[in-house]
Amino acid sequence: MFEKNKLVLYHGTISQIEHIDVKRGRGNKDFGKGFYMAVSRQQAIGMMHKKYKEAVRRSRNKKNLSFEERLYEITLDKKYLETITIKQFETADQEWLDFVLLCRENGGMPHDYDLVIGPTADDDTMLCLKAYWDGLYGKVGSSQAKTILLNNLEPENLGIQYYVGKQMVVDRLISSMKEIQWR
């Protein structure tokens, strides 16, 4: 499905990044609170646009909006990458779904992996997860409910993401990060 341990990744955002701070990540995300990178430049640009639209929507009544769309190219340190604990999901299967449910339900970083690589849940994820947790797909935790949830997430359309939730890991793993043109 994707190239293992890709060394050049992308991050789309709406603010300038001087230094990556994993604590700034939002909780209850696919693999935990931390820093996410996309394998695909287009996927990172899509996330950047999504963040920008959300920020504009949230700050409608404010003047002097202080955000702009930015794309970063990130290079990983290959030698350090070989020394860390990595959880890699080849596909959006039952194991991946259980991991995403764990991270989204518990928030923070409910695992001890240094790096997690795998499919990105799509834009409809929260709607699907709410339907799952409300029991609309069957008994929560049942194989039937999880199968319906997984099918509704359209796993064949998901991009690939890299996640780091530990500051000491991100500080050593990223050997370079530069802003690049996205247009």
Side-chain angles (χ1 to χ4, degrees):
M1 176 182 210
F2 57 95
E3 181 182 333
K4 289 184 182 231
N5 301 332
K6 189 165 169 58
L7 295 178
V8 176
L9 303 169
Y10 302 92
H11 180 81
T13 188
I14 57 170
S15 58
Q16 185 173 7
I17 300 175
E18 296 292 331
H19 173 70
I20 297 168
D21 181 358
V22 297
K23 292 180 201 155
R24 291 193 62 188
R26 289 197 262 165
N28 303 86
K29 300 305 275 177
D30 292 354
F31 299 149
K33 182 176 183 166
F35 187 71
Y36 286 81
M37 299 162 281
V39 169
S40 156
R41 185 177 189 277
Q42 283 308 114
Q43 181 184 355
I45 291 170
M47 290 304 296
M48 174 187 68
H49 290 325
K50 181 180 172 188
K51 289 175 188 176
Y52 184 82
K53 287 177 188 174
E54 183 179 313
V56 167
R57 183 185 54 78
R58 286 184 176 178
S59 60
R60 241 174 246 235
N61 299 325
K62 295 180 184 174
K63 296 177 184 175
N64 300 328
L65 300 178
S66 62
F67 45 80
E68 69 177 270
E69 295 175 305
R70 296 173 181 267
L71 181 66
Y72 290 88
E73 182 179 85
I74 297 167
T75 304
L76 304 183
D77 182 314
K78 184 178 181 176
K79 287 184 181 179
Y80 185 67
L81 187 64
E82 294 169 355
T83 68
I84 61 176
T85 306
I86 300 172
K87 176 64 177 171
Q88 187 164 337
F89 296 98
E90 297 291 333
T91 62
D93 57 12
Q94 188 79 40
E95 181 188 12
W96 170 85
L97 179 60
D98 287 339
F99 194 85
V100 170
L101 287 170
L102 171 75
C103 293
R104 288 202 176 231
E105 283 176 310
N106 294 319
M109 190 176 138
H111 57 81
D112 199 37
Y113 295 108
D114 295 322
L115 176 67
V116 180
I117 305 168
T120 305
D122 72 2
D123 287 346
D124 296 324
T125 299
M126 281 315 294
L127 292 173
C128 293
L129 289 175
K130 180 160 178 18
Y132 168 78
W133 285 320
D134 287 347
L136 297 177
Y137 301 150
K139 184 178 178 190
V140 174
S142 72
S143 179
Q144 174 194 1
K146 287 180 180 180
T147 298
I148 294 170
L149 172 57
L150 197 54
N151 289 337
N152 286 343
L153 291 177
E154 299 179 0
E156 66 278 358
N157 297 326
L158 306 180
I160 302 302
Q161 62 190 344
Y162 278 48
Y163 157 85
V164 180
K166 298 175 184 174
Q167 190 65 48
M168 64 178 239
V169 174
V170 83
D171 289 345
R172 293 192 57 200
L173 181 62
I174 295 176
S175 62
S176 72
M177 180 174 73
K178 64 181 177 182
E179 188 172 349
I180 60 173
Q181 291 295 317
W182 59 269
R183 296 175 205 256

